[in-house]
Amino acid sequence: MTGPETPGKSSRQSSPEAVLERVTDAVFALDEDWRFTYFNDRAEAMFQREQAKLQGKGIWEEFPVMTDSTFQWELERAMEIQEPVRFEAYYPPQDSWFEVRVYPSETGLSVYVRDITDPDDRQQELEEREQALRRASDVMAAPDQPFSQQITLLLEVVRTAIGTKFATLSCVNEDYGEYIFEHVATPEEVDLESGDTTPLETLPNCSHVVETAETLVLQDVAAEAPELVDPEWGISCYLGTPVIVHGEVYGTFCFYGMEARTEEFSDWEVAFVGLLSNWVSNELERKAYERELEESNEELEQFAYAASHDLQEPLRMVTSYLELIDRRYSDDLDEDGREFIDFAVDGADRMRDMIDGLLEYSRVETQGDSFEVVNLNDVLEDVREDLQVKIEEDDAEIVSEDLPCVEGDTDQLRQVFQNLLDNAIEYSGEEPPRVHVAAEQADDEWTVSVRDEGVGIDPTDTDRVFDVFQSLHTQVEGGGTGIGLALCERIIERHGGDIGSTPTLARGQRCLVLFR
């Protein structure tokens, strides 16, 4: 509702706004353009401004302290959703906390403001909230703590902060029509444990959250939502949010008691529960992805092992018979026949190498060692020794700058460097080959580059070279199995980094990025 446009005090005494002059709240009204249309006596005293001087003026111009603050955000939100909004906000000019209730309409909104500042109580409340946030942050920032223990601690933190007796993280099992209490925080005398179940219909509050996928806040269930009263549990106050995993409602993160609250849940309490619920959702989703990845890796390794086992034997048989034909009938074969035999044997050997490479590729996640501090200078030196014969044969020159220490799997990082150096020497494009290894740091990331002096890689192929079985060179040109760079990429991804190719003028550069 909006007030009259005439500013005079006498006209207000006989108008409907006269009722508002007798309320203890400061009341003002704004039109759809955020201009004042009403300002009662209590508002004049609270904000130390006169209605006559505010009539028709914009609130954001007259009260710039309210811009880009909770006041502006919540008033604009009320107009947008066209629903009442309640919030608490700090007003710096008076060093006060206000409780604000906003009632919007299509033509404007009415705002009721109450000073709720009590220095001692407010300070204690702020300290308790800060302590709850700090405790919750400490729990969420403890990666070495088991997830189940993190959830139980978070439930206890919130239950204590908002003053409810029960706190649960429940999962919906639609196949059996029941809730599973995965984690609980309750008084010792309450007979409710993790793993307990209950039919869906016995918890209408939680069912409502699951069905609507929206937060439910009830100070007094019987008075506010009698249709959600449950005779079995007797829940009388409730604050619950949906837990979303992969876009679907996984369950509820809820807090409740068996007695109605004397005060409604505050906006801070609702926001606090929503914040932690989002964290729980993200963690559950991340763990679901990890399980899917583990299952995928296991399936890939099983497939690769089966392929290796099932195909190696036929390949060995093909190779053996080809060699037998070569020994027995070589005198009867002309030059083309012997060449065909050589091609067949070479193809079988190449297929065996591809199968071995695929098996190695599939085991990056499951067969890798735990991470430790690795000096990449030592890794590079080991790879130099392994490639010593190739380096001498090609008269290659490898120049290296100082490399960093990183967290990683020594053997796998050695594989990466060996593949990159071997490729750089093989396809250097000049005699003798020259390879340059360098490292650059940007914030907490290191970029390690292996550069040769060849013609580089066509920009259209920079992504394809890291695909499995993709080689840019034919067998005549000395192409490999197409596994090496794909293996490098999979290893670096396990290390939380990226690998890519950056072609430059007359030279190709492969970059390895490792996160410390």
Side-chain angles (χ1 to χ4, degrees):
M1 61 181 286
T2 59
E5 296 185 1
T6 55
K9 287 291 182 74
S10 59
S11 63
R12 286 198 287 166
Q13 300 304 318
S14 57
S15 69
E17 281 69 35
V19 177
L20 297 177
E21 298 297 343
R22 295 193 293 270
V23 302
T24 58
D25 291 347
V27 182
F28 62 86
L30 304 170
D31 63 18
E32 64 269 24
D33 294 320
W34 305 103
R35 295 174 303 196
F36 284 102
T37 60
Y38 178 71
F39 211 71
N40 76 347
D41 290 342
R42 185 71 184 92
E44 289 184 342
M46 177 178 288
F47 294 101
Q48 300 177 1
R49 300 291 297 274
E50 296 179 11
Q51 154 132 332
K53 295 181 179 180
L54 291 177
Q55 191 77 13
K57 301 290 183 64
I59 184 174
W60 313 130
E61 291 75 27
E62 295 299 317
F63 293 88
V65 70
M66 291 185 179
T67 60
D68 293 325
S69 70
T70 303
F71 284 98
Q72 183 172 8
W73 301 332
E74 293 296 332
L75 265 61
E76 290 180 347
R77 184 168 73 90
M79 282 296 289
E80 180 180 353
I81 65 176
Q82 284 293 299
E83 292 182 4
V85 169
R86 175 189 172 278
F87 63 93
E88 296 177 8
Y90 177 67
Y91 188 62
Q94 296 181 18
D95 191 24
S96 300
W97 281 89
F98 293 161
E99 178 187 70
V100 185
R101 287 167 293 147
V102 186
Y103 301 94
S105 69
E106 294 181 359
T107 58
L109 43 78
S110 298
V111 182
Y112 292 70
V113 184
R114 176 179 301 174
D115 189 336
I116 58 173
T117 306
D118 182 320
D120 294 335
D121 291 346
R122 192 65 188 178
Q123 183 62 31
Q124 180 180 355
E125 182 181 12
L126 289 175
E127 290 176 356
E128 290 175 350
R129 290 181 178 182
E130 182 180 354
Q131 183 181 24
L133 285 168
R134 186 167 54 250
R135 290 179 60 197
S137 178
D138 290 343
V139 171
M140 293 185 291
D144 296 334
Q145 203 167 43
F147 180 66
S148 60
Q149 188 174 352
Q150 285 181 299
I151 294 297
T152 300
L153 290 173
L154 281 181
L155 290 173
E156 189 61 47
V157 168
V158 180
R159 185 174 76 91
T160 301
I162 69 176
T164 59
K165 193 171 185 179
F166 295 84
T168 64
L169 170 62
S170 303
C171 174
V172 179
N173 188 333
E174 295 183 353
D175 293 338
Y176 293 92
E178 63 182 13
Y179 281 110
I180 303 173
F181 295 100
E182 293 191 334
H183 304 278
V184 301
T186 63
E188 293 183 359
E189 66 272 13
V190 175
D191 186 20
L192 182 63
E193 298 179 353
S194 298
D196 287 350
T197 62
T198 188
L200 293 176
E201 61 271 13
T202 64
L203 290 175
N205 296 290
C206 291
S207 295
H208 180 83
V209 172
V210 172
E211 292 170 2
T212 62
E214 294 180 353
T215 298
L216 179 63
V217 184
L218 296 172
Q219 173 187 352
D220 185 335
V221 176
E224 299 175 69
E227 71 279 6
L228 298 181
V229 171
D230 64 280
E232 183 170 336
W233 288 78
I235 294 174
S236 297
C237 66
Y238 183 92
L239 170 52
T241 63
V243 176
I244 309 296
V245 177
H246 293 334
E248 300 291 335
V249 177
Y250 172 89
T252 58
F253 189 64
C254 55
F255 304 85
Y256 47 94
M258 303 310 169
E259 295 181 3
R261 290 169 65 97
T262 55
E263 296 182 357
E264 62 185 16
F265 289 101
S266 71
D267 292 344
W268 181 87
E269 290 170 333
V270 175
F272 186 44
V273 171
L275 173 68
L276 300 188
S277 176
N278 287 337
W279 182 84
V280 172
S281 295
N282 291 335
E283 286 298 297
L284 287 171
E285 190 162 289
R286 183 177 63 82
K287 291 185 176 299
Y289 277 125
E290 288 177 352
R291 286 194 299 272
E292 292 171 3
L293 182 59
E294 289 176 0
E295 293 172 359
S296 176
N297 287 332
E298 290 175 0
E299 292 173 358
L300 177 60
E301 183 176 350
Q302 291 172 0
F303 166 76
Y305 179 81
S308 174
H309 181 272
D310 295 343
L311 295 179
Q312 288 283 15
E313 186 58 37
L315 281 174
R316 279 193 290 268
M317 183 180 67
V318 169
T319 303
S320 298
Y321 274 104
L322 288 171
E323 292 173 347
L324 181 61
I325 291 173
D326 186 40
R327 288 197 302 270
R328 288 189 179 182
Y329 305 106
S330 59
D331 294 339
D332 299 329
L333 296 174
D334 58 15
E335 185 176 347
D336 287 343
R338 284 192 293 273
E339 186 177 16
F340 294 157
I341 293 293
D342 291 340
F343 281 153
V345 172
D346 183 67
D349 290 341
R350 177 174 166 76
M351 178 63 75
R352 185 180 296 109
D353 291 341
M354 293 175 68
I355 292 172
D356 290 340
L358 179 62
L359 185 59
E360 188 175 17
Y361 177 86
S362 70
R363 288 177 170 173
V364 167
E365 295 284 348
T366 58
Q367 299 294 323
D369 294 332
S370 57
F371 285 4
E372 60 183 2
V373 177
V374 180
N375 188 324
L376 295 185
N377 292 298
D378 296 339
V379 172
L380 179 59
E381 188 58 35
D382 290 341
V383 172
R384 283 177 185 264
E385 293 180 7
D386 293 340
L387 296 176
Q388 189 60 39
V389 174
K390 185 178 183 66
I391 292 172
E392 292 178 353
E393 288 179 349
D394 292 288
D395 194 23
E397 178 185 5
I398 299 177
V399 179
S400 174
E401 299 178 9
D402 189 44
L403 302 180
C405 292
V406 299
E407 289 282 335
D409 181 330
T410 302
D411 290 338
Q412 289 189 346
L413 292 177
R414 186 170 173 172
Q415 285 180 290
V416 171
F417 272 85
Q418 182 154 335
N419 272 293
L420 296 181
L421 286 178
D422 187 66
N423 278 2
I425 295 172
E426 185 72 28
Y427 307 115
S428 180
E430 66 171 38
E431 297 291 342
R434 296 172 56 193
V435 181
H436 187 256
V437 183
E440 292 183 5
Q441 185 178 18
D443 297 327
D444 59 347
E445 295 181 6
W446 280 96
T447 300
V448 179
S449 62
V450 178
R451 188 184 70 229
D452 59 51
E453 302 294 334
V455 295
I457 299 175
D458 189 298
T460 60
D461 293 325
T462 53
D463 291 331
R464 187 166 68 88
V465 294
F466 294 99
D467 293 338
V468 179
F469 299 140
Q470 293 294 321
S471 176
L472 301 184
H473 303 274
T474 64
Q475 290 305 295
V476 176
E477 297 171 329
T481 61
I483 290 286
L485 290 180
L487 179 63
C488 289
E489 182 179 52
R490 190 166 171 83
I491 290 173
I492 295 308
E493 286 177 349
R494 183 191 174 218
H495 285 69
D498 296 300
I499 186 171
S501 174
T502 306
T504 59
L505 184 61
R507 61 182 59 184
Q509 180 174 336
R510 296 184 177 91
C511 296
L512 167 65
V513 181
L514 295 174
F515 299 90
R516 296 191 66 184

